[in-house]
Amino acid sequence: MKKKICFLLILLAATLTGCASTKTQDVFRFEAHEVNLIVGEEMNLKIIFGSVNKNEEIVYVIGDSDLIKYEDEKLTALAVGTTKLTAYVKDSPLTRASVNITISNKTLSSLKINGVDTLLIGETKVFTTEVTPSDISSNVTWKSSNVKVATVDASGKVSAIKAGNVVISATSKYDSTIVAKKALEVKYHDATSIDITIVSGGINLTIGATAQLKATVSPILANPEYTWATSDAKIVTIDETGKITAVAAGSAKIVATSADNLVQKEIDITVVWADATKITVNSVTTDIYVNDTFKVEATVEPANANPDFIISVDKEDLVQINNDVITFVAAGTVEVTVKSADGKVEQKMSIVINPIPDPTGIELKTEDGETTYDEKQSNIALVITISPEHALQEYDITTSDETVATVTAKGNGYVLNTKNPGTVTITVTSKVNPTLNASIVITVNAIE
């Protein structure tokens, strides 16, 4: 008779399972959805009727009667295993509820993973577990949180794939609610060397030119990342992609450093001026006389060529050269050569140096053109002109009565200072030709 009842229960369970696609009414349910019991343990498990009339007849279906017993709302664990208890309204079989039941012998209080905290890429280690109580099965299901970083097989063998962080977890097969976790860091191998390759360009560059570098870190399982640096950014710069740019003439080192700072490699870069292809020099636009000066201005092309230039003459006794200024010291004809610093291009010009002409005229006046002043006036500027323009501007200046007015040097000229009322004659005489002179009469009035 008991076997017949069990058969009917199983048949009814199958019938209800076939209707599983019908939506369960949430209002009709057990007090719990999941139950965990130890063999021999009992618990009260009631149905919450919700909107269902409590007078309705409820049919209870046990998935495996060898594992549990359910009578008068009391659930009893009979044997280890998992099963389901289902309830439905007899007159409305689609109104049903179920609870999953797990029965074990003992409670697993803890699960621990034993294993390393770090692995290098390519390494493998077997992780193990410990359970409490120790007589419970320690069989687990292993899992990696990121299989791209590390994998773990069914035996707990962990394989490091790439650098990063991952969590290895173990779920107890005895009690799936118990999960142990262990953080694992996968690291690169230490860098042992780093090499620099010139992809394009070279180590000898002209100003403004570029080159492309690439670094390779060894071994292959080391971090492939690296950083670039220059010893002198005023000479050569480098960006994060390895592109270098020549800035100014000189030498500098480019350094590649591994991400772990264990190895470095450097390469010497030399930056030079481009060859000069053309030089343009300003020309003399006026007649040149002895004692005149001429400032040489030259433009060297291309723009990244050395802008400096060298001045030379064929007759050094006719000129003096101070940097880029030529002073003509004697009459004659001189050929001036202006050459680029690298000697690639030059420009010549012939300059005639005229002798200093004799003075032919001299003129004296006050700057404001007046000849009458009050007594005790100071710094009245005097204007002295000797012609022609290139004649020696050398002269003597005198006053006929220093009690009335005096003349004193100031800067490159002279000034008149009145003293007392009266009349005074100021005379200027050429030192080269004393027969050339000029005078003005100054009247000094008393201050009333």
mmCIF file of all heavy atoms in Angstrom, residues 9-31:
data_model
loop_
_atom_site.group_PDB
_atom_site.id
_atom_site.type_symbol
_atom_site.label_atom_id
_atom_site.label_comp_id
_atom_site.label_asym_id
_atom_site.label_seq_id
_atom_site.Cartn_x
_atom_site.Cartn_y
_atom_site.Cartn_z
ATOM 1 N N LEU A 9 2.189 9.812 -5.645
ATOM 2 C CA LEU A 9 2.833 11.108 -5.332
ATOM 3 C C LEU A 9 3.810 11.514 -6.411
ATOM 4 O O LEU A 9 3.887 12.671 -6.817
ATOM 5 C CB LEU A 9 3.543 11.020 -3.972
ATOM 6 C CG LEU A 9 2.622 10.901 -2.748
ATOM 7 C CD1 LEU A 9 3.458 10.701 -1.493
ATOM 8 C CD2 LEU A 9 1.743 12.139 -2.621
ATOM 9 N N ILE A 10 4.586 10.552 -6.889
ATOM 10 C CA ILE A 10 5.571 10.845 -7.943
ATOM 11 C C ILE A 10 4.857 11.243 -9.217
ATOM 12 O O ILE A 10 5.242 12.186 -9.918
ATOM 13 C CB ILE A 10 6.490 9.637 -8.175
ATOM 14 C CG1 ILE A 10 7.350 9.396 -6.930
ATOM 15 C CG2 ILE A 10 7.375 9.837 -9.396
ATOM 16 C CD1 ILE A 10 8.117 8.089 -6.972
ATOM 17 N N LEU A 11 3.769 10.508 -9.555
ATOM 18 C CA LEU A 11 2.998 10.822 -10.755
ATOM 19 C C LEU A 11 2.416 12.230 -10.676
ATOM 20 O O LEU A 11 2.445 13.003 -11.623
ATOM 21 C CB LEU A 11 1.878 9.785 -10.925
ATOM 22 C CG LEU A 11 0.952 9.974 -12.139
ATOM 23 C CD1 LEU A 11 1.784 9.891 -13.429
ATOM 24 C CD2 LEU A 11 -0.153 8.942 -12.140
ATOM 25 N N LEU A 12 1.893 12.573 -9.489
ATOM 26 C CA LEU A 12 1.324 13.907 -9.311
ATOM 27 C C LEU A 12 2.392 14.970 -9.435
ATOM 28 O O LEU A 12 2.177 16.026 -10.017
ATOM 29 C CB LEU A 12 0.638 13.998 -7.935
ATOM 30 C CG LEU A 12 -0.030 15.339 -7.602
ATOM 31 C CD1 LEU A 12 -1.064 15.686 -8.686
ATOM 32 C CD2 LEU A 12 -0.692 15.268 -6.231
ATOM 33 N N ALA A 13 3.590 14.686 -8.907
ATOM 34 C CA ALA A 13 4.698 15.651 -9.009
ATOM 35 C C ALA A 13 5.069 15.883 -10.456
ATOM 36 O O ALA A 13 5.332 17.002 -10.891
ATOM 37 C CB ALA A 13 5.905 15.134 -8.223
ATOM 38 N N ALA A 14 5.079 14.781 -11.251
ATOM 39 C CA ALA A 14 5.401 14.918 -12.672
ATOM 40 C C ALA A 14 4.370 15.756 -13.386
ATOM 41 O O ALA A 14 4.667 16.573 -14.248
ATOM 42 C CB ALA A 14 5.515 13.526 -13.313
ATOM 43 N N THR A 15 3.077 15.539 -13.015
ATOM 44 C CA THR A 15 1.992 16.315 -13.629
ATOM 45 C C THR A 15 2.142 17.791 -13.339
ATOM 46 O O THR A 15 2.002 18.649 -14.198
ATOM 47 C CB THR A 15 0.627 15.822 -13.111
ATOM 48 O OG1 THR A 15 0.494 14.442 -13.397
ATOM 49 C CG2 THR A 15 -0.517 16.599 -13.768
ATOM 50 N N LEU A 16 2.494 18.096 -12.085
ATOM 51 C CA LEU A 16 2.659 19.503 -11.697
ATOM 52 C C LEU A 16 3.866 20.111 -12.383
ATOM 53 O O LEU A 16 3.873 21.266 -12.759
ATOM 54 C CB LEU A 16 2.803 19.609 -10.166
ATOM 55 C CG LEU A 16 1.525 19.243 -9.386
ATOM 56 C CD1 LEU A 16 1.816 19.256 -7.889
ATOM 57 C CD2 LEU A 16 0.388 20.180 -9.729
ATOM 58 N N THR A 17 4.924 19.315 -12.543
ATOM 59 C CA THR A 17 6.121 19.830 -13.225
ATOM 60 C C THR A 17 5.797 20.181 -14.663
ATOM 61 O O THR A 17 6.280 21.167 -15.222
ATOM 62 C CB THR A 17 7.248 18.779 -13.193
ATOM 63 O OG1 THR A 17 7.511 18.458 -11.846
ATOM 64 C CG2 THR A 17 8.503 19.306 -13.866
ATOM 65 N N GLY A 18 4.966 19.392 -15.276
ATOM 66 C CA GLY A 18 4.574 19.679 -16.660
ATOM 67 C C GLY A 18 3.834 20.974 -16.781
ATOM 68 O O GLY A 18 3.738 21.557 -17.854
ATOM 69 N N CYS A 19 3.293 21.465 -15.737
ATOM 70 C CA CYS A 19 2.566 22.752 -15.756
ATOM 71 C C CYS A 19 3.442 23.895 -15.276
ATOM 72 O O CYS A 19 2.951 24.957 -14.923
ATOM 73 C CB CYS A 19 1.315 22.670 -14.878
ATOM 74 S SG CYS A 19 0.129 21.410 -15.414
ATOM 75 N N ALA A 20 4.738 23.682 -15.243
ATOM 76 C CA ALA A 20 5.643 24.679 -14.632
ATOM 77 C C ALA A 20 5.653 25.990 -15.375
ATOM 78 O O ALA A 20 6.080 26.998 -14.840
ATOM 79 C CB ALA A 20 7.052 24.099 -14.559
ATOM 80 N N SER A 21 5.196 25.991 -16.606
ATOM 81 C CA SER A 21 5.225 27.237 -17.368
ATOM 82 C C SER A 21 4.141 28.202 -16.944
ATOM 83 O O SER A 21 4.128 29.355 -17.330
ATOM 84 C CB SER A 21 5.089 26.928 -18.868
ATOM 85 O OG SER A 21 3.858 26.284 -19.105
ATOM 86 N N THR A 22 3.173 27.684 -16.108
ATOM 87 C CA THR A 22 2.085 28.561 -15.647
ATOM 88 C C THR A 22 2.590 29.446 -14.526
ATOM 89 O O THR A 22 3.277 28.981 -13.622
ATOM 90 C CB THR A 22 0.902 27.721 -15.141
ATOM 91 O OG1 THR A 22 0.488 26.854 -16.177
ATOM 92 C CG2 THR A 22 -0.250 28.615 -14.740
ATOM 93 N N LYS A 23 2.262 30.655 -14.560
ATOM 94 C CA LYS A 23 2.746 31.623 -13.570
ATOM 95 C C LYS A 23 2.202 31.303 -12.174
ATOM 96 O O LYS A 23 1.012 31.120 -11.975
ATOM 97 C CB LYS A 23 2.333 33.037 -13.975
ATOM 98 C CG LYS A 23 2.855 34.093 -13.025
ATOM 99 C CD LYS A 23 2.459 35.470 -13.480
ATOM 100 C CE LYS A 23 2.953 36.527 -12.531
ATOM 101 N NZ LYS A 23 2.523 37.871 -12.948
ATOM 102 N N THR A 24 3.108 31.186 -11.197
ATOM 103 C CA THR A 24 2.725 30.947 -9.807
ATOM 104 C C THR A 24 2.168 32.220 -9.196
ATOM 105 O O THR A 24 2.742 33.299 -9.380
ATOM 106 C CB THR A 24 3.944 30.466 -8.997
ATOM 107 O OG1 THR A 24 4.435 29.282 -9.598
ATOM 108 C CG2 THR A 24 3.563 30.199 -7.554
ATOM 109 N N GLN A 25 1.080 32.065 -8.441
ATOM 110 C CA GLN A 25 0.524 33.241 -7.765
ATOM 111 C C GLN A 25 1.383 33.570 -6.554
ATOM 112 O O GLN A 25 1.604 32.736 -5.689
ATOM 113 C CB GLN A 25 -0.922 32.972 -7.327
ATOM 114 C CG GLN A 25 -1.882 32.759 -8.507
ATOM 115 C CD GLN A 25 -3.304 32.608 -8.036
ATOM 116 O OE1 GLN A 25 -3.658 33.094 -6.968
ATOM 117 N NE2 GLN A 25 -4.128 31.950 -8.839
ATOM 118 N N ASP A 26 1.884 34.754 -6.501
ATOM 119 C CA ASP A 26 2.798 35.156 -5.438
ATOM 120 C C ASP A 26 2.124 35.161 -4.071
ATOM 121 O O ASP A 26 2.774 35.046 -3.047
ATOM 122 C CB ASP A 26 3.366 36.546 -5.739
ATOM 123 C CG ASP A 26 4.266 36.511 -6.951
ATOM 124 O OD1 ASP A 26 4.804 35.418 -7.247
ATOM 125 O OD2 ASP A 26 4.420 37.557 -7.591
ATOM 126 N N VAL A 27 0.795 35.262 -4.062
ATOM 127 C CA VAL A 27 0.112 35.402 -2.771
ATOM 128 C C VAL A 27 0.040 34.075 -2.019
ATOM 129 O O VAL A 27 -0.225 34.042 -0.824
ATOM 130 C CB VAL A 27 -1.307 35.964 -2.977
ATOM 131 C CG1 VAL A 27 -1.237 37.387 -3.485
ATOM 132 C CG2 VAL A 27 -2.110 35.096 -3.939
ATOM 133 N N PHE A 28 0.224 32.970 -2.737
ATOM 134 C CA PHE A 28 0.129 31.649 -2.127
ATOM 135 C C PHE A 28 1.526 31.043 -2.112
ATOM 136 O O PHE A 28 2.092 30.719 -3.152
ATOM 137 C CB PHE A 28 -0.826 30.772 -2.954
ATOM 138 C CG PHE A 28 -0.994 29.371 -2.395
ATOM 139 C CD1 PHE A 28 -1.770 29.148 -1.258
ATOM 140 C CD2 PHE A 28 -0.384 28.277 -3.007
ATOM 141 C CE1 PHE A 28 -1.923 27.853 -0.764
ATOM 142 C CE2 PHE A 28 -0.530 27.000 -2.507
ATOM 143 C CZ PHE A 28 -1.306 26.777 -1.381
ATOM 144 N N ARG A 29 2.125 30.896 -0.890
ATOM 145 C CA ARG A 29 3.529 30.474 -0.835
ATOM 146 C C ARG A 29 3.857 29.882 0.523
ATOM 147 O O ARG A 29 3.121 30.039 1.486
ATOM 148 C CB ARG A 29 4.458 31.660 -1.094
ATOM 149 C CG ARG A 29 4.290 32.776 -0.094
ATOM 150 C CD ARG A 29 5.180 33.957 -0.434
ATOM 151 N NE ARG A 29 4.952 35.079 0.460
ATOM 152 C CZ ARG A 29 5.524 35.206 1.659
ATOM 153 N NH1 ARG A 29 6.363 34.271 2.116
ATOM 154 N NH2 ARG A 29 5.262 36.263 2.399
ATOM 155 N N PHE A 30 5.016 29.190 0.571
ATOM 156 C CA PHE A 30 5.559 28.733 1.836
ATOM 157 C C PHE A 30 6.229 29.903 2.548
ATOM 158 O O PHE A 30 6.579 30.913 1.925
ATOM 159 C CB PHE A 30 6.582 27.612 1.617
ATOM 160 C CG PHE A 30 5.965 26.255 1.353
ATOM 161 C CD1 PHE A 30 5.889 25.740 0.067
ATOM 162 C CD2 PHE A 30 5.462 25.504 2.416
ATOM 163 C CE1 PHE A 30 5.320 24.494 -0.171
ATOM 164 C CE2 PHE A 30 4.899 24.244 2.188
ATOM 165 C CZ PHE A 30 4.815 23.738 0.887
ATOM 166 N N GLU A 31 6.436 29.709 3.827
ATOM 167 C CA GLU A 31 7.118 30.754 4.597
ATOM 168 C C GLU A 31 8.571 30.949 4.133
ATOM 169 O O GLU A 31 9.144 32.010 4.325
ATOM 170 C CB GLU A 31 7.131 30.376 6.087
ATOM 171 C CG GLU A 31 5.764 30.442 6.743
ATOM 172 C CD GLU A 31 5.806 30.023 8.201
ATOM 173 O OE1 GLU A 31 6.488 29.014 8.505
ATOM 174 O OE2 GLU A 31 5.156 30.697 9.022
#
